[in-house]
Amino acid sequence: MQVLIVEDETAAYESLVEILKEIDPTIQVLGNTESVSQTINWLTTNPPPDLILMDIHLSDGAAFLIFNHVEVEVPIIFTTAYDEYAIEAFKVNSIDYLLKPIKKNDLDRALQKFKRFTQSDLVAYISKITQLAPAKQYKDKILIPVQDRLIPIDLQTVSFFYTTDKSTHIYLKDGSKYPYSRTLEQLYITLNPENFYRANKQFIIAKNSVQSITIWFDNRLLITLDTETPEHIYVSKNKASDFKEWMVNM
């Protein structure tokens, strides 16, 4: 079994790893993400794990924000410090949870329940999890600091966001660009996923700027925008299907 642990407390993460080893030494922990943005990035750039252990309160917001940006198709066992009333809500939604501090017997029981799930159980379970994603109101403008001023930028005029050497820039359709202090990970969770897509580590692109899509020799996609880009934009083979669905369905 391959597991991703979403947990922003080092001690809690290390405790989970130790308990998992005690329960079943063959369990492989694929990684640890500490925030909504890191988790979105991990899930969109790696093959899916068999199971996710996910803390509800992460460093940059509630874990449910993840479901606004990526389709999670694997079961999740939540870890939470919620009070009994919130826990009852999770029970109603048939979502497994572990109350912190995590106990070995509780985690073992949750893993055994997961192992007994049939495919139809998993489909129903995942459907209920995704319904927890909050209805989010996205901004239509962002403020860009330029010297001693703040310039409002309409997101409809943005062609893409680009990062290199830990420096992020916003490129507009008119060819102008501005430096921005936030990382792509921080930016992405604030953008409407219907309009913007994390193409790769360097680019977030606007749907209304995509001019053409070329199928590359290794099944990657080469994306051409309506604005000149600092380098070619490639979408990996693993993300190609997701990108094409985003272009036509969202």
Side-chain angles (χ1 to χ4, degrees), residues 192-243:
N192 189 333
E194 293 187 6
N195 301 328
F196 291 92
Y197 189 85
R198 181 72 185 269
N200 52 43
K201 292 181 179 180
Q202 285 74 45
F203 287 92
I204 296 174
I205 61 177
K207 179 182 289 186
N208 63 10
S209 286
V210 177
Q211 285 195 329
S212 67
I213 304 169
T214 303
I215 301 176
W216 216 239
F217 69 93
D218 54 358
N219 289 322
R220 290 183 297 167
L221 302 178
L222 174 63
I223 312 301
T224 302
L225 303 183
D226 57 4
T227 308
E228 185 177 355
T229 58
E231 58 181 288
H232 291 311
I233 304 174
Y234 293 102
V235 174
S236 69
K237 175 182 177 180
N238 291 338
K239 294 180 64 175
S241 177
D242 178 66
F243 176 79

Side-chain angles (χ1 to χ4, degrees), residues 85-102:
Y85 300 105
I87 290 174
E88 286 301 320
F90 285 110
K91 287 180 179 178
V92 169
N93 285 289
S94 300
I95 293 178
D96 293 331
Y97 69 91
L98 299 174
L99 185 62
K100 290 183 175 182
I102 308 302

Side-chain angles (χ1 to χ4, degrees), residues 115-186:
K115 291 177 181 178
R116 292 194 299 268
F117 273 11
T118 64
Q119 186 61 37
S120 60
D121 290 334
L122 291 176
V123 171
Y125 180 81
I126 292 166
S127 175
K128 289 181 178 180
I129 287 176
T130 56
Q131 291 172 11
L132 291 172
K136 186 171 182 180
Q137 298 296 318
Y138 296 96
K139 297 178 180 179
D140 56 8
K141 289 183 173 62
I142 56 175
L143 293 176
I144 304 298
V146 178
Q147 296 180 350
D148 59 348
R149 295 179 298 152
L150 290 173
I151 300 178
I153 300 294
D154 191 325
L155 286 172
Q156 291 187 350
T157 68
V158 174
S159 181
F160 62 94
F161 301 88
Y162 174 72
T163 188
T164 182
D165 298 328
K166 300 182 180 180
S167 175
T168 302
H169 284 80
I170 299 173
Y171 286 72
L172 306 185
K173 293 177 181 295
D174 63 7
S176 59
K177 70 173 183 177
Y178 298 94
Y180 200 46
S181 59
R182 307 183 76 178
T183 66
L184 290 194
E185 286 78 13
Q186 293 169 332

